[in-house]
Amino acid sequence: MVFFGWSSGEGWTNRKPIFRVSITSRLELQEAGRGNVDDQNLATISRRIVRYINRKSAVFANIKWGRDVLKYPRMGALSPIPESPECLDNGLCSPAAQVGDGSADLSSSESLEEFHVLAQDFFFQVVCEIELSNGLKAMIRATIDGMQEGFCPIPVREGKSGTYLMRGPLDGKPVSVFKPSDEEPGSPSNSKGSAGGRKGTFAGEGDVREVAAYLLDHPLKGEEGGFSGVPPTIRVKCSHAKFNYRKGFSIENPKIGSLQLYKENDGSLEDIGHNIHILEGLQRISVLDIRLANAGRHLGNILWRREQADGRVTLIPIDHAYCLPHSFESCLFDWRRWEATNKPFSDNIIEYVNSLDAEKDLQILKANGIDMPLDCIRVLRISTKLLKKAVDKGLSPRQIGSIMCRSTLDSDLEESKIEEIIRKAVASIPPKSSEEELLQAVYAQIDLHLDQFNA
């Protein structure tokens, strides 16, 4: 039996459709004209029901089936989604619709409620209270539908953090990539023996940085990615038995992490020679890394794909858990090895750099619920200013990278040029100077260094 009605009650601004399903035995299904119903058919029917409920209603669906009975123990009195600490995170959230690929067709609350799913073997929730773009919605729906169809997440062997390929409902192919914050290097549930991450970052912050990198890549409406091609990324909660748990799997204890659109690719830049024509794409990625003071850019996290239509090579930057660090100690730009980064920036890249504004970028992050610590904000402001001033002086990506990166990453004795610039700026002002006075002193030192660079 399927009962359809309209919700009512205190606190609801709009009446919403609700569904209550009660299928008590195979006999009822057979009498309804479905023929013989075995356990496998019963499970298939239940999955279809829960998919329909999750899409159309604003309630959690928790289906449990035995040999003869389907029950809904969590439907209760058809109350709104509980806003308990276990089920809702009102902190950092995912990208806003204005930077997505089109306005959503539902109100903010409704568009998010359809992605709150509690099923028999998994839990999923978007950690966000704002409207999602249609592109992000499509990724989330495919991820949820894949789990509902029984396609389990696939652990990725490469890398130092726990990473999972989330599969779609039709053929089980990857549709998204989930990175739990508690499986980052140095986190308690990391199973790869990674002791820690990079200097200037802390374990458990990577998922927020992944979202920040997507936002600050300035994605445009109608496009999947932004200027440098960072795939759409949001923050979610998810439980599944295939994830790594330090104290055992519990569906009521979901992991929080980043969910990023999976992009088909032909490999990474580690796999191909330097003669491939990737000048524009690599320079765009260099702009992103310089702005965000990326401490984790190696050739293994720049994917490439040859477009079948025209043979063009498209680059896809991934893995931004080490961007926007607390300091400049560990900037790592492996693209400096490629000759393409020793050439001047193209005119359209220069135009983009000239349009950058660190204060507007901070507003974008804040509008999406990301409040960075002051030292991370300082890094963004300084690196953006350095990029703009260096491009104005005609420096190449490799030359700017030489200012930001130490020659030996693991050395505690050697400063990078940007660290030296900041040290000199601090020494040039009184101890109790304001943040603005510090920044102005740094910018003055940047000018001095760039003048010497061109001399």
Side-chain angles (χ1 to χ4, degrees), residues 60-132:
F60 286 103
N62 184 17
I63 289 189
K64 295 184 178 180
W65 57 83
R67 289 185 58 82
D68 295 309
V69 183
L70 292 177
K71 298 180 181 179
Y72 278 78
R74 291 182 182 269
M75 293 287 281
L78 302 172
S79 59
I81 294 177
E83 297 190 359
S84 64
E86 295 79 25
C87 296
L88 212 57
D89 184 343
N90 294 320
L92 297 162
C93 59
S94 58
Q98 67 263 27
V99 297
D101 59 355
S103 59
D105 54 356
L106 297 171
S107 70
S108 297
S109 59
E110 289 176 327
S111 63
L112 290 175
E113 285 170 354
E114 65 177 308
F115 301 130
H116 294 187
V117 181
L118 181 59
Q120 183 195 22
D121 53 358
F122 76 92
F123 170 85
F124 188 96
Q125 180 186 22
V126 174
V127 184
C128 172
E129 292 187 350
I130 56 178
E131 199 170 56
L132 297 176

Side-chain angles (χ1 to χ4, degrees), residues 131-156:
E131 199 170 56
L132 297 176
S133 70
N134 289 332
L136 285 168
K137 280 186 171 186
M139 175 186 72
I140 299 167
R141 285 195 186 103
T143 301
I144 294 172
D145 289 352
M147 287 189 286
Q148 288 174 334
E149 288 296 329
F151 291 109
C152 296
I154 303 175
V156 176

Side-chain angles (χ1 to χ4, degrees), residues 289-420:
D289 291 339
I290 292 167
R291 287 174 57 216
L292 306 186
N294 195 348
R297 177 64 72 211
H298 55 80
L299 299 183
N301 56 34
I302 301 179
L303 308 179
W304 68 280
R305 181 181 66 234
R306 190 176 296 280
E307 306 296 343
Q308 294 184 352
D310 54 11
R312 228 173 12 96
V313 172
T314 300
L315 299 185
I316 307 163
I318 60 171
D319 296 345
H320 297 101
Y322 298 132
C323 71
L324 296 171
H326 297 266
S327 67
F328 287 96
E329 290 179 88
S330 301
C331 289
L332 175 66
F333 306 152
D334 261 7
W335 41 254
R336 291 191 295 155
R337 294 156 42 189
W338 286 66
E339 185 58 32
T341 62
N342 200 33
K343 299 181 182 297
F345 284 108
S346 62
D347 290 342
N348 63 329
I349 294 180
I350 293 174
E351 182 181 359
Y352 174 75
V353 171
N354 289 337
S355 72
L356 293 174
D357 186 327
E359 302 311 312
K360 289 182 179 179
D361 284 342
L362 290 169
Q363 290 174 11
I364 290 173
L365 294 179
K366 192 167 185 177
N368 288 273
I370 298 178
D371 288 313
M372 295 194 302
L374 178 58
D375 46 1
C376 297
I377 292 174
R378 184 182 300 133
V379 165
L380 177 62
R381 285 170 169 158
I382 292 173
S383 58
T384 302
K385 184 67 72 173
L386 171 63
L387 174 64
K388 293 171 72 72
K389 287 177 175 291
V391 167
D392 187 57
K393 292 284 188 179
L395 271 64
S396 69
R398 182 183 291 181
Q399 290 172 315
I400 303 173
S402 70
I403 298 173
M404 297 187 68
C405 299
R406 296 180 177 183
S407 59
T408 305
L409 189 62
D410 295 330
S411 174
D412 291 328
L413 302 177
E414 178 202 13
E415 291 179 318
S416 63
K417 292 298 181 182
I418 190 63
E419 291 176 282
E420 179 184 337

Side-chain angles (χ1 to χ4, degrees), residues 7-278:
S7 62
S8 62
E10 188 176 348
W12 289 66
T13 56
N14 298 302
R15 297 200 307 166
K16 302 176 183 179
I18 54 88
F19 301 81
R20 177 174 290 159
V21 181
S22 174
I23 303 174
T24 56
S25 69
R26 286 195 193 85
L27 183 59
E28 289 186 9
L29 294 174
Q30 290 167 188
E31 289 178 348
R34 292 193 176 268
N36 293 328
V37 179
D38 56 19
D39 288 339
Q40 183 176 357
N41 289 336
L42 195 61
T44 300
I45 292 168
S46 66
R47 282 199 300 268
R48 290 175 178 173
I49 291 171
V50 81
R51 287 177 64 183
Y52 189 71
I53 289 172
N54 288 333
R55 288 180 177 178
K56 300 298 183 182
S57 69
V59 291
F60 286 103
N62 184 17
I63 289 189
K64 295 184 178 180
W65 57 83
R67 289 185 58 82
D68 295 309
V69 183
L70 292 177
K71 298 180 181 179
Y72 278 78
R74 291 182 182 269
M75 293 287 281
L78 302 172
S79 59
I81 294 177
E83 297 190 359
S84 64
E86 295 79 25
C87 296
L88 212 57
D89 184 343
N90 294 320
L92 297 162
C93 59
S94 58
Q98 67 263 27
V99 297
D101 59 355
S103 59
D105 54 356
L106 297 171
S107 70
S108 297
S109 59
E110 289 176 327
S111 63
L112 290 175
E113 285 170 354
E114 65 177 308
F115 301 130
H116 294 187
V117 181
L118 181 59
Q120 183 195 22
D121 53 358
F122 76 92
F123 170 85
F124 188 96
Q125 180 186 22
V126 174
V127 184
C128 172
E129 292 187 350
I130 56 178
E131 199 170 56
L132 297 176
S133 70
N134 289 332
L136 285 168
K137 280 186 171 186
M139 175 186 72
I140 299 167
R141 285 195 186 103
T143 301
I144 294 172
D145 289 352
M147 287 189 286
Q148 288 174 334
E149 288 296 329
F151 291 109
C152 296
I154 303 175
V156 176
R157 293 182 180 180
E158 294 80 8
K160 296 182 178 180
S161 62
T163 304
Y164 300 88
L165 297 179
M166 310 300 287
R167 303 154 74 188
L170 298 179
D171 49 14
K173 290 185 177 180
V175 294
S176 62
V177 180
F178 179 57
K179 295 182 178 180
S181 62
D182 73 337
E183 295 190 43
E184 295 173 11
S187 294
S189 295
N190 184 285
S191 62
K192 297 182 178 181
S194 301
R198 296 279 195 276
K199 294 177 182 178
T201 61
F202 302 105
E205 298 178 339
D207 60 325
V208 183
R209 288 185 161 88
E210 294 274 7
V211 175
Y214 168 62
L215 289 171
L216 297 189
D217 197 29
H218 303 144
L220 302 173
K221 291 184 178 180
E223 298 183 11
E224 277 191 348
F227 183 79
S228 303
V230 179
T233 312
I234 59 169
R235 204 159 172 252
V236 303
K237 284 182 176 180
C238 190
S239 295
H240 199 284
K242 288 296 182 181
F243 299 153
N244 187 63
Y245 292 88
R246 187 165 57 107
K247 297 183 179 180
F249 167 66
S250 171
I251 200 168
E252 286 82 15
N253 185 26
K255 292 174 178 281
I256 190 166
S258 62
L259 187 75
Q260 185 171 86
L261 178 68
Y262 176 81
K263 303 283 282 188
E264 293 286 347
N265 63 85
D266 297 306
S268 72
L269 290 193
E270 286 182 330
D271 307 323
I272 58 178
H274 287 222
N275 58 346
I276 191 169
H277 185 68
I278 53 172

